[in-house]
């Protein structure tokens, strides 16, 4: 083999070796494309606004089960007395039920045309302060004072004097009424200048 061919073979061998090395280096360190950012979806619901739209609805305390119901009471009039321009009528509540119960506060009082008839004029205004609860044992009594104004003292055009059969009385905190026969005259009209009835809070005794 001539020197020229030997040199050519050596050059060719060197070229193949270099090519193999370059190929190996490329395979060992491939250029990786950047991985796409994964798209994430949240399974969590958006936060709920718990702020109330307005104030909470008012709550009402339950009725006191110890309060005397109208059906547990008998209503009578005490000793009626006249005063200057008015009449004092004691309303006497007697416990005829089979349990001890309570009365606390002011009765509701109005004139009526008849026992189950319409009310006449304005109801009684409250006089004085509450005296606290009164405990009524069986046959126990409590009293509130009603002041009935002589309506003849008012100008007829303000009062419109009208006959009444008596008083419709709601015991304190009761939903039903009692009737007390008390014929007289009331004012059918209502006006700031006209007060026909006043009532005090109940107190023990009768």
């Amino acid at each position: 083999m001539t020197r020229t061919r030997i040199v050519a073979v050596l050059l060719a061998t060197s070229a193949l070796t270099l090519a193999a090395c370059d190929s190996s280096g490329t395979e060992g360190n491939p250029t990786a494309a950047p991985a796409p950012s994964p798209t994430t979806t949240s399974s969590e619901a958006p936060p709920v606004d718990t702020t109330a739209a307005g104030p909470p609805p008012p709550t009402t305390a339950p009725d006191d089960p110890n309060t005397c119901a109208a059906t547990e009471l008998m209503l009578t009039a005490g000793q009626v007395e006249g005063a200057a321009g008015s009449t004092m009528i004691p309303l006497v509540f007697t416990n005829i039920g089979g349990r001890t119960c309570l009365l606390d506060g002011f009765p509701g009082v109005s004139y009526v045309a008849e026992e189950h008839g319409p009310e006449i004029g304005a109801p009684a205004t409250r006089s004085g302060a509450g005296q606290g609860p009164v405990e009524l044992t069986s046959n126990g009594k409590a009293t509130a004072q009603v002041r009935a104004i002589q309506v003849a003292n008012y100008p007829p055009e303000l009062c419109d004097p009208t006959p009444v059969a008596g008083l419709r009385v709601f015991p304190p905190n009761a939903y039903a009424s009692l009737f007390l026969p008390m014929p007289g005259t009331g004012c059918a009209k209502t006006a700031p200048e006209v007060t026909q009835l006043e009532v005090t809070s109940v107190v023990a005794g009768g």
Side-chain angles (χ1 to χ4, degrees):
M1 181 182 295
T2 62
R3 184 182 296 275
T4 301
R5 292 186 63 186
I6 292 172
V7 172
V9 170
L10 291 175
L11 291 174
T13 302
S14 298
L16 290 174
T17 302
L18 291 173
C21 290
D22 290 342
S23 175
S24 174
T26 302
E27 290 177 0
N29 296 282
T31 302
S37 299
T39 302
T40 59
T41 57
S42 175
S43 60
E44 296 181 0
V48 178
D49 183 6
T50 58
T51 303
T59 56
T60 303
D63 295 333
D64 186 344
N66 296 315
T67 296
C68 300
T71 54
E72 298 177 292
L73 299 170
M74 178 176 66
L75 176 63
T76 57
Q79 182 64 46
V80 178
E81 297 180 358
S86 61
T87 301
M88 300 301 297
I89 307 168
L91 302 180
V92 182
F93 299 95
T94 303
N95 182 3
I96 58 174
R99 68 181 186 119
T100 297
C101 59
L102 299 176
L103 286 181
D104 185 10
F106 296 82
V109 182
S110 299
Y111 280 133
V112 288
E114 54 187 81
E115 181 174 358
H116 300 292
E119 296 181 357
I120 302 297
T125 59
R126 295 179 175 183
S127 176
Q131 302 299 310
V134 177
E135 183 178 83
L136 295 183
T137 58
S138 181
N139 295 315
K141 298 179 186 296
T143 302
Q145 298 288 336
V146 170
R147 179 172 178 253
I149 310 300
Q150 298 294 336
V151 299
N153 295 331
Y154 294 115
E157 62 272 15
L158 289 178
C159 174
D160 187 13
T162 302
V164 298
L167 300 174
R168 177 171 293 152
V169 178
F170 287 86
N173 304 308
Y175 296 101
S177 63
L178 302 168
F179 176 69
L180 180 66
M182 190 69 59
T185 304
C187 290
K189 288 185 176 179
T190 59
E193 302 89 344
V194 175
T195 300
Q196 61 179 356
L197 294 168
E198 295 178 347
V199 65
T200 67
S201 175
V202 294
V203 294

